């Protein structure tokens, strides 16, 4: 990340979508944020890789269904070749194959195109800070899939890998609420604490339990019987 002297630190962002009617207005709107600098736009995965290679780039806002090279393959290539670049998926598709494919390839965030500008900018900032943001619909699908496919396996795994004894009661509460699909804001409202405090609990929780991302947290919560 970089910023001009005296100004806010700016995230260098690439916007990728095969439809110019979506890509160009989105890039223009995001560029209005003081801390976001849209450095390039791309119509397919190969253009994304070229833009990142020309760099510097902090975050790619990635569509999934694109010609030549789709978003999942582009995300996988970025994870291998430029792991410092975060990918936030922005797509109309919220099916299990798309979600799991993108997250498995290394995407740090996943939003549907129902997301508003504030949701998108928030996800970009979170990704730039090393955090994961999932659309509520995506969280719900991950939760349903985890419960439907492997509840017994998750429970057995949790029995082999119990939660650490040094988790505080509040950290257990936060993990349980993540398992229920709540956002940071939802957790803050439920526990009557600030979002900043929620983030602190999540950072501590992820470090103690060795959780990689929010999807992993959902699985651990279910496996531990917290959700």
């Amino acid at each position: 990340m970089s910023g001009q002297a005296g100004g806010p630190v700016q995230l260098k962002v690439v916007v990728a979508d095969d439809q110019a009617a979506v890509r160009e207005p989105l890039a223009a709107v995001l560029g209005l944020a003081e801390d976001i600098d849209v450095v390039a736009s791309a119509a397919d995965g190969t253009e994304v890789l070229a833009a990142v290679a020309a760099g510097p780039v902090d975050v790619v806002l990635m569509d999934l269904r694109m010609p030549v090279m789709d978003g999942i393959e582009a995300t996988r290539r970025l994870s291998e070749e430029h792991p410092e670049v975060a990918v936030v998926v922005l797509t109309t598709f919220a099916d299990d194959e798309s979600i799991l494919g993108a997250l498995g390839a290394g995407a740090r965030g996943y939003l549907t195109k129902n997301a508003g500008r504030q949701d998108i900018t928030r996800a970009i900032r979170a990704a730039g800070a090393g955090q994961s943001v999932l659309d509520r619909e995506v969280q719900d699908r991950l939760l349903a899939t985890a419960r439907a496919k492997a509840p017994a396996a998750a429970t057995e795994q949790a029995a082999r890998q119990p939660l650490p004894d040094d988790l505080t009661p509040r950290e257990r509460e936060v993990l349980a609420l993540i398992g229920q699909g709540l956002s940071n804001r939802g957790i803050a409202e439920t526990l009557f604490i600030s979002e900043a405090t929620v983030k602190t609990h999540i950072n501590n929780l992820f470090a103690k339990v060795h959780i990689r991302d929010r999807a992993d947290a959902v699985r651990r919560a279910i496996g531990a019987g917290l959700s």
Side-chain angles (χ1 to χ4, degrees):
M1 291 181 287
S2 60
Q4 298 178 357
V9 174
Q10 287 193 317
L11 288 165
K12 305 295 186 182
V13 176
V14 172
V15 175
D17 195 296
D18 64 327
Q19 298 182 36
V22 173
R23 182 177 68 247
E24 293 173 2
L26 182 57
V29 168
L30 291 176
L32 297 175
E34 290 186 353
D35 59 342
I36 292 177
D37 180 14
V38 178
V39 296
S41 61
D44 60 59
T46 60
E47 292 186 6
V48 170
L49 295 178
V52 171
V57 174
D58 298 306
V59 181
V60 176
L61 188 63
M62 184 87 76
D63 187 23
L64 288 186
R65 307 293 170 89
M66 297 185 292
V68 186
M69 181 188 293
D70 66 25
I72 290 178
E73 177 61 17
T75 299
R76 185 188 66 76
R77 291 277 299 274
L78 286 175
S79 296
E80 293 176 352
E81 300 170 15
H82 302 278
E84 75 283 0
V85 177
V87 173
V88 175
V89 170
L90 180 64
T91 181
T92 56
F93 301 96
D95 58 281
D96 290 352
E97 182 178 358
S98 297
I99 295 169
L100 296 175
L103 296 178
R108 195 169 289 167
Y110 197 112
L111 303 176
T112 66
K113 288 185 177 176
N114 293 324
R117 188 186 76 176
Q118 289 186 341
D119 296 320
I120 297 170
T121 54
R122 188 181 302 118
I124 289 173
R125 290 165 182 150
Q131 301 169 2
S132 297
V133 174
L134 302 179
D135 188 283
R136 179 59 187 268
E137 180 181 358
V138 173
Q139 290 188 43
D140 289 345
R141 287 197 68 92
L142 283 173
L143 186 59
T145 299
R147 284 176 169 160
K149 288 187 174 181
T155 301
E156 181 181 350
Q157 181 182 15
R160 295 196 304 268
Q161 296 181 328
L163 296 176
D165 292 335
D166 61 344
L167 277 188
T168 66
R170 181 63 90 190
E171 288 164 354
R172 287 177 178 270
E173 285 182 303
V174 169
L175 180 58
L177 293 173
I178 291 175
Q180 294 171 26
L182 270 67
S183 64
N184 285 7
R185 180 177 297 179
I187 294 171
E189 292 173 351
T190 300
L191 299 179
F192 301 101
I193 57 179
S194 69
E195 285 191 62
T197 301
V198 171
K199 290 178 182 178
T200 298
H201 287 313
I202 289 176
N203 289 338
N204 292 339
L205 168 66
F206 279 27
K208 290 179 180 179
V209 187
H210 306 293
I211 292 174
R212 297 185 303 276
D213 51 37
R214 215 168 182 97
D216 192 26
V218 171
R219 290 191 289 269
R220 290 304 303 271
I222 295 170
L226 298 178
S227 298

